[in-house]
Amino acid sequence: MLPSPPRLATLDPYTLPKAPLTTQPTPSLSPTFPYTWQSNPYTSKRTWPPHFDSLSPKHRFSLERRYRRRAKLKWARPTWTKGVKLAQWGSILFVTVYGVLFMEGPERQKGVFSGIRKWYGEQSELAAGARGGKVVEDNMPAAAKPTGV
């Protein structure tokens, strides 16, 4: 009779060896402080919050101004403000350019901006001619156009 192969270790949690019981306590995760509030040698110079009734109006105003400035700095969102400003100016510019150059009134009536539109059309034709291209009036794909045979 042949000897049986050695048993491979399994990862069955019921057959794994158990950790020995220890009597050492687990370390505490909360920090320990060497002082209590009664034995603290680093006492504060002023009581906070101060009694506003006992302060002079000048000192009260300076505290309020300091708090207002710190709160304003804390809640400032420069990236968000910049993004909102860019979005607003972009939409204003888009609507203005679209309204002046491309939007047509009812039944193609002449508007206030017809001179600007005419000038813009001439400039775009000149730019297309300088590039060696031509202005295409229709937007039909080249594959769908009939060939002149």
Side-chain angles (χ1 to χ4, degrees), residues 16 32 43-44 51 61 77 83 90 104 120 126-127 134 139-140:
L16 291 176
T32 56
T43 57
S44 61
H51 300 288
F61 179 71
R77 301 288 185 258
E104 296 179 0
Y120 179 73
L126 284 174
K134 60 178 182 173
N139 57 357
M140 186 184 301

Side-chain angles (χ1 to χ4, degrees), residues 21 47 65 71 87 96-97 106 109 117 119 126 138 144 149:
L21 295 175
T47 59
R65 193 175 57 201
T96 305
V97 168
Q109 73 184 109
R117 289 180 186 169
W119 173 83
L126 284 174
D138 61 344
V149 176

Side-chain angles (χ1 to χ4, degrees), residues 41-72:
Y42 308 105
T43 57
S44 61
K45 295 177 185 173
R46 301 181 194 144
T47 59
W48 190 260
H51 300 288
F52 274 87
D53 299 335
S54 62
L55 296 177
S56 68
K58 187 175 182 180
H59 190 225
R60 189 180 315 161
F61 179 71
S62 72
L63 285 176
E64 290 171 359
R65 193 175 57 201
R66 186 182 312 154
Y67 175 76
R68 193 179 309 128
R69 180 180 58 84
R70 288 179 181 171
K72 190 176 180 182

Side-chain angles (χ1 to χ4, degrees), residues 20 83 86 101:
L86 285 174
L101 297 178

Side-chain angles (χ1 to χ4, degrees), residues 70-85:
R70 288 179 181 171
K72 190 176 180 182
L73 287 173
K74 168 98 175 133
W75 293 104
R77 301 288 185 258
T79 309
W80 174 258
T81 307
K82 183 179 178 182
V84 169
K85 282 184 182 179

